[in-house]
Every structure is written in C-alpha cells, then in structure tokens.
Amino acid sequence: MNVNVIPTAPAENLRILVVEDDVFLCTFYKKFLEHKGAMVVACSSVADAELSVTQISKKFDAVLLDNQLDNTEGISLLPLLKLELPLAAVIMVSANDNPEFFLAAFNAGIHDYMVKPVNQDLLWLKVTTSVNQQRLKALAEKQRAELAYWVEQEQEQQHLAKHLFDRMFQQLNQPHPAVHAWVKSHSLFSGDAVLRCQADDGSWYFMLADAMGHGLAPAISLMPMLKTFHSMAKKAIPLPNIVFELNDSLNRLLPDDRFIAAVLLRLDPRQQSLEIWNGGMPSVLLLDHDGAIVSVAPSTNMALGVLAKHQISVQVQRFSLDESNITYFMMFSDGLTETVLDDNSQLQVSDLVDLILWRSERPLQGIQAKFKHVPEQDDVSLCLVNCQHLQLELCAIPCNNKVQTGGFDVSFAFRGLSMLHMDLPKKTTDFLKVQNFPIEFVQRVFTVVTEIYMNALEHGVLGLDSKMKSGDDGFIRFYEEKEKRIRLLTEQEFIEFDMQWLADRELLQMRIADSGKGFAHCNDDIATNGNTFGRGLAFIETLTSNLEIIPPGNSLRLTMPLHKMN
C-alpha cells in the first residue's frame, strides 16, 4: 500500500510576515503567532513590508495582510509578494465582507481570507492549512519538473538506442534488388528483425526473428543473435551449426521467460538448393515465377532459447530450386496474419500472395498499403526473396583474366588448439583476393578449403564419424563428442595445408594432410564415398579437375582450374 506523506508545517519552523497598520491588532497578531511558536516580523505599512520582503535573508512561509493600510490597499502588495515569495501563503484580513472584494483578492493571488473581528483559533488553522497547501503545491511542482526531466532523458536515451539499433541493422542489411524486406514496429523499437548475409562461398543466409514482447526488451533480446548470425554465415558455417550456436547463446544470456521464434535459411545458388530451419514461425512459402505456392516449410521446432542444447533439433528441411520450380520464398511473422484490419478481418496466407505486386520494383507496396492506417497491434515483418535473381547474379559475375601472372607457393601448419582458432578458408581467400583472382573463383576455393579443412579436423584429427549426425539427436551427440575430443587435443595433432598457383597453366593445386589414422578408400569409387568426408568427396570433386586421396587416407591432393569446367 502506498502512503502519501503530507509536508506539514511545524509551528516552530514557520516564518510569518504580518502587515497591519493598527498597532493593537499588529501586536495581537505578533504575540499570538509567537505563542504558537512561529517567528514573526510585523510591519505597519506597505513600504516597511516591501523592505522586509525584498531582504534575501527574510523569506516567509505566510503573509497575514490587512487590506486597509495608511490610505493604501494591501492588495497592491500582492504582485511583489508573488514575485519575491512565490511559495508563501497569503491570508488577507479585512472588515469588508463583500464577496466581490474577496473574489477580486483571490484573482490577485491570495490563498485564504478572514473577516474582522478575527477568531484566533480559526486564524491559526487557516495559516497552517494554507502553508501546507503551498508546500504540497511546491512539492507537486518539483515532482512534475523532475518527472519531465526524467521523461526527457528517457526519450533521449531511447532515441539514441533506436539510432544505434537502426544503424546496426542497416550495416548488416545493405539494399539488394532481389531481397525485399519490411518491418513495421508496434512501438519505437521492434522485436522483429530481418537479417541477411552473403557468405564467402557465394551462398546466401537469411534470418527472420520475432522476439517475445514489444518495445525495447525484445529488441535487446535480438542483440546476441546479430553478431553470431553474421559472423557464422559469412564463413558459410552449416545452417544446423548456426541454429545450435544461436540457441545456446540465447539460453546463456536471456532470462528463462524469454525466447525468440525464428526462421533461418541457406540458399546455395550453385547447388540450386534451399535449406530451411523453422522454429515457432509461420510456414515459409515457396513460390514459382507467377507467385503460385509450390511448397511450404512449416515450423517443426520450438523457438530459440526454449530448449537446452541437448534437446533442440537442428535438422533442416531441404528443397531443390531446380526440381521444384521455386523462384521465390516468402517468410513473415505472425503479426502479419493476426493483426485485425479496418474491416475486422485478418489476412489469410492466400491474401498475402495476392497482395504482392509481382515483378514490380517494390512488390511489398500492396501489403504495406493494407496496413497503412491500421493501429499497431503487434510487430509486423515480411521478407520476399527472388532466388532466381540471386542465382543469375552469381552466374553473371565477370571473369577477370588479369590475375597474378607469377606463381606462388603458400604453406600453413597448425598444431593443437591453433587448429580451432585459425580461420584457414578466410585466410586463403583473402590472400587470393589480394592477388586479384576473380570473385567467382575465390568463392569456389573458399567452398573447397572449408570442406577439406573441416573434414581434416573433424574426421581426421578428432576421428569423428559423420554417421553420428543421423537420427533426431545425432547432431547434438556429434557436437558434444566433438567438444570432448577438442579438450583432449595435444601438440602432437596437426593439420598441414599447401597451396600452389601454376600461373602458366592457370591451375591452383592444394594439399591437406592431418595426423589422423586415415580411412579405407578407393579412388575409383569417390562418387559413392559421400559419407566419409562431411558433404562427401563427390561434392568436392564437382569443383575440382583432379582429386587424389593419398594412402593411408589422411591426405588429399587436388587441382582447381581458374575457369569453370564444362
């Protein structure tokens, strides 16, 4: 229960100015008020009162003001009292009992009045009551001023935070003609976010996240995901690994009652494949060139931050863009279909498709117009991506024939924990970019180096079997076993990597070797040996002109031509 404490006026603390030209009454007031414990200054004229009021050392809590003063009206003193003593209570005393007179006096600034002859008990009651009212008024004014100050500070901080949030999302989401995203927030901050990132291997990663709640709290909940998603996607980390890491970080950082529904997608234009993980979001729509729904990817998982790492499923849904005739995918938050529109209806999935302005430069305008005058009920977000555009864009990258004319030979050797901390795929591709190799070639090299390095680490050095990933909890078991074996690494385990550029033949040769035991193999049966190394040697072979497994199977030698093979 809240208790309001009224700032009462103790008599011994009261300072009262008495303005009365009648000597008898002036003495009476002074003696009576001092008897109550107040400190009293008595004046018999307006001039004396003005002098007392303007002395800085004499500030009064109350003024007892007679109206008839040596041919001058006491009411004339009110403007000075309001200026010099704005917090003092003014009680006027007069023999004039005309209501119009007291109405004028109240309008001029008095707080109470008494008609002569004065009742001393009533006088004291009016003095203390008026002082308390003035003190309450002063306290209220102070609290209003403080509240206004803190509201202003809060608004300034929120706008600064909003500016930083917007800048961060803008840096992570540079405009792209194939990607159309729209976020409409319920308040200043949005709990919905649309992120995208093109990996160094040319593939695209997308995420639409919907944090629980509205305002600043859900926006802050999204923060742990931004850097993790972008840094892992940039390195072309497999989608299950990203989901696992996001869930783990949210479990560690968010309160138990917070979670984030999300859709994560990986689009590989070269493989013409689309991987989707949906946790607690509406179904992702997969559409053909005309906007007809080809397939959907419903939610098959709990939202991120709900389940522990040994409980969450990171299995993805896979779609072939070529075989399924998929041109677009569309993902959206539930706010889009649960918002009540002006006609008291809600949008159906078919309505969303019909509202898209297909093959327009701004295809989301139709949906945005539908929500233009609808009061915010929830955060709303939508993302439409033209997969075909991204595929054609990658194929249209011009080939730069003016690459490094001289050859080079680069070698790396990693031992122990340094194998985990060195980003070999990025280090390799950064070097090739400096040498002016075409981006399409660099992306192919990134894919190959990522594959062979992760294979060497996981299956060679750590001795993990890809078959562990099968089953509902296979990925979790694989991940936990990987962590156990990493803790046992010593300086005896190693990975060696050599890269040589044969400028005259426009060939890049690579060799990778690890300290593992190797595996039984047959070079004539590479294409069927897909489960031995990650996504399989068959995948690596499609990007190289020659692939050789060196006995006992813990070393690979491969060759990549500058230009694509027919």
Side-chain angles (χ1 to χ4, degrees):
M1 180 177 68
N2 294 326
V3 178
N4 294 321
V5 179
I6 300 176
T8 57
E12 63 272 13
N13 293 332
L14 288 182
R15 296 170 59 87
I16 302 175
L17 174 66
V18 174
V19 185
E20 173 62 66
D21 61 349
D22 185 305
V23 176
F24 174 77
L25 287 177
C26 188
T27 302
F28 165 73
Y29 292 145
K30 188 173 188 301
K31 294 293 185 182
F32 171 70
L33 295 172
E34 286 179 341
H35 177 73
K36 289 292 187 179
M39 191 209 79
V40 182
V41 173
C43 299
S44 59
S45 67
V46 170
D48 290 343
E50 289 176 344
L51 183 61
S52 294
V53 168
T54 53
Q55 290 181 4
I56 299 177
S57 61
K58 294 183 178 179
K59 294 300 180 183
F60 299 96
D61 300 297
V63 178
L64 191 62
L65 178 63
D66 184 33
N67 191 48
Q68 297 300 325
L69 300 168
D70 54 21
N71 299 322
T72 302
E73 289 188 338
I75 198 171
S76 65
L77 191 60
L78 290 176
L80 179 64
L81 294 178
K82 290 174 66 176
L83 178 64
E84 297 292 337
L85 303 173
L87 301 181
V90 180
I91 297 98
M92 177 161 281
V93 181
S94 176
N96 186 351
D97 61 356
N98 187 338
E100 294 183 358
F101 163 72
F102 283 110
L103 180 60
F106 274 110
N107 290 333
I110 71 168
H111 299 96
D112 209 339
Y113 72 94
M114 291 198 69
V115 178
K116 296 179 181 179
V118 173
N119 178 287
Q120 57 185 15
D121 291 332
L122 181 59
L123 172 64
W124 180 245
L125 177 63
K126 284 180 175 286
V127 168
T128 54
T129 300
S130 297
V131 169
N132 286 335
Q133 288 176 344
Q134 284 298 96
R135 291 185 175 181
L136 282 173
K137 180 181 177 182
L139 178 61
E141 289 295 333
K142 180 181 178 182
Q143 290 175 338
R144 274 196 292 268
E146 290 177 347
L147 179 60
Y149 171 78
W150 288 114
V151 168
E152 181 181 355
Q153 292 295 306
E154 179 68 19
Q155 289 177 342
E156 182 178 347
Q157 292 174 11
Q158 287 202 13
H159 283 290
L160 175 59
K162 180 68 162 55
H163 174 77
L164 294 175
F165 272 81
D166 290 344
R167 290 295 298 271
M168 291 178 63
F169 280 107
Q170 288 171 6
Q171 291 175 1
L172 295 177
N173 286 330
Q174 295 300 318
H176 193 285
V179 182
H180 307 278
W182 173 53
V183 177
K184 187 174 188 285
S185 61
H186 173 271
S187 58
L188 184 63
F189 293 91
S190 176
D192 285 9
V194 179
L195 298 175
R196 63 180 179 275
C197 176
Q198 186 173 23
D200 289 334
D201 68 346
S203 60
W204 282 87
Y205 288 75
F206 298 87
M207 179 171 69
L208 190 151
D210 181 0
M212 175 186 173
H214 302 116
L216 182 59
I220 292 177
S221 300
L222 295 171
M223 297 301 293
M225 303 178 69
L226 301 183
K227 186 176 180 180
T228 300
F229 171 79
H230 190 266
S231 61
M232 295 184 75
K234 188 65 177 173
K235 298 176 183 178
I237 301 297
L239 200 60
N241 296 59
I242 298 178
V243 173
F244 184 88
E245 189 61 35
L246 289 175
N247 184 74
D248 190 44
S249 64
L250 292 178
N251 269 326
R252 286 184 283 105
L253 298 175
L254 292 186
D256 293 339
D257 61 345
R258 293 281 172 174
F259 58 83
I260 299 178
V263 172
L264 286 93
L265 304 93
R266 181 178 187 268
L267 171 65
D268 190 338
R270 287 197 185 85
Q271 299 297 309
Q272 295 190 347
S273 65
L274 182 65
E275 295 179 340
I276 303 176
W277 184 90
N278 190 342
M281 293 288 283
S283 297
V284 179
L285 307 183
L286 307 178
L287 309 120
D288 65 13
H289 181 72
D290 297 317
I293 299 177
V294 174
S295 186
V296 296
S299 172
T300 56
N301 305 283
M302 297 287 287
L304 296 171
V306 175
L307 300 176
K309 64 181 182 180
H310 63 277
Q311 296 174 315
I312 188 172
S313 171
V314 295
Q315 298 297 321
V316 299
Q317 303 173 61
R318 290 183 173 86
F319 300 88
S320 171
L321 302 180
D322 185 38
E323 296 177 2
S324 304
N325 197 28
I326 297 172
T327 303
Y328 303 91
F329 71 77
M330 182 166 67
M331 52 183 178
F332 51 91
S333 64
D334 56 12
L336 197 65
T337 52
E338 293 180 359
T339 295
V340 179
L341 303 177
D342 293 336
D343 58 359
N344 291 324
S345 67
Q346 292 176 308
L347 289 180
Q348 303 299 314
V349 171
S350 58
D351 299 328
L352 296 180
V353 177
D354 292 340
L355 287 170
I356 296 293
L357 305 180
W358 298 103
R359 286 169 288 286
S360 165
E361 292 184 0
R362 301 179 64 183
L364 304 185
Q365 273 188 314
I367 296 178
Q368 292 171 336
K370 192 77 173 177
F371 281 76
K372 185 175 182 179
H373 301 294
V374 176
E376 287 78 4
Q377 302 162 37
D378 193 2
D379 296 323
V380 172
S381 56
L382 171 68
C383 182
L384 177 70
V385 177
N386 189 328
C387 307
Q388 192 174 71
H389 186 128
L390 296 178
Q391 288 177 289
L392 295 174
E393 180 184 78
L394 188 63
C395 297
I397 296 177
C399 180
N400 182 3
N401 293 319
K402 296 180 180 179
V403 296
Q404 175 71 33
T405 55
F408 57 76
D409 196 334
V410 181
S411 299
F412 298 96
F414 311 108
R415 293 186 177 277
L417 292 177
S418 68
M419 292 183 288
L420 305 173
H421 304 317
M422 180 57 68
D423 191 346
L424 180 63
K426 187 176 188 304
K427 196 173 187 68
T428 302
T429 53
D430 285 347
F431 177 79
L432 294 178
K433 289 177 183 177
V434 173
Q435 301 300 319
N436 204 29
F437 281 86
I439 186 65
E440 189 278 333
F441 179 70
V442 173
Q443 290 174 344
R444 279 192 287 131
V445 173
F446 179 91
T447 301
V448 170
V449 175
T450 299
E451 282 296 318
I452 62 177
Y453 187 76
M454 290 305 298
N455 289 335
L457 174 63
E458 294 182 345
H459 308 303
V461 174
L462 300 178
L464 296 167
D465 190 341
S466 291
K467 293 179 181 178
M468 292 177 60
K469 295 181 181 179
S470 61
D472 293 339
D473 62 343
F475 182 85
I476 307 302
R477 292 189 295 107
F478 183 89
Y479 199 97
E480 291 177 341
E481 184 63 28
K482 180 179 178 179
E483 287 183 328
K484 291 179 183 178
R485 299 189 186 188
I486 284 174
R487 289 194 290 267
L488 300 175
L489 280 176
T490 69
E491 291 297 304
Q492 302 302 314
E493 283 83 33
F494 66 84
I495 293 178
E496 295 175 346
F497 176 79
D498 303 321
M499 180 172 64
Q500 184 180 26
W501 171 243
L502 306 178
D504 55 339
R505 299 167 56 189
E506 293 189 334
L507 292 176
L508 185 69
Q509 291 185 340
M510 290 180 282
R511 181 190 69 89
I512 191 165
D514 60 69
S515 56
K517 297 179 180 179
F519 65 97
H521 65 279
C522 174
N523 281 341
D524 294 332
D525 195 29
I526 286 177
T528 62
N529 213 4
N531 289 328
T532 307
F533 271 38
R535 281 185 282 179
L537 297 179
F539 173 71
I540 300 175
E541 189 182 34
T542 62
L543 302 175
T544 61
S545 61
N546 182 57
L547 173 61
E548 179 185 1
I549 303 174
I550 302 172
N554 60 351
S555 180
L556 285 178
R557 185 182 293 117
L558 52 89
T559 303
M560 293 187 65
L562 177 62
H563 305 294
K564 287 184 178 180
M565 299 173 294
N566 295 328

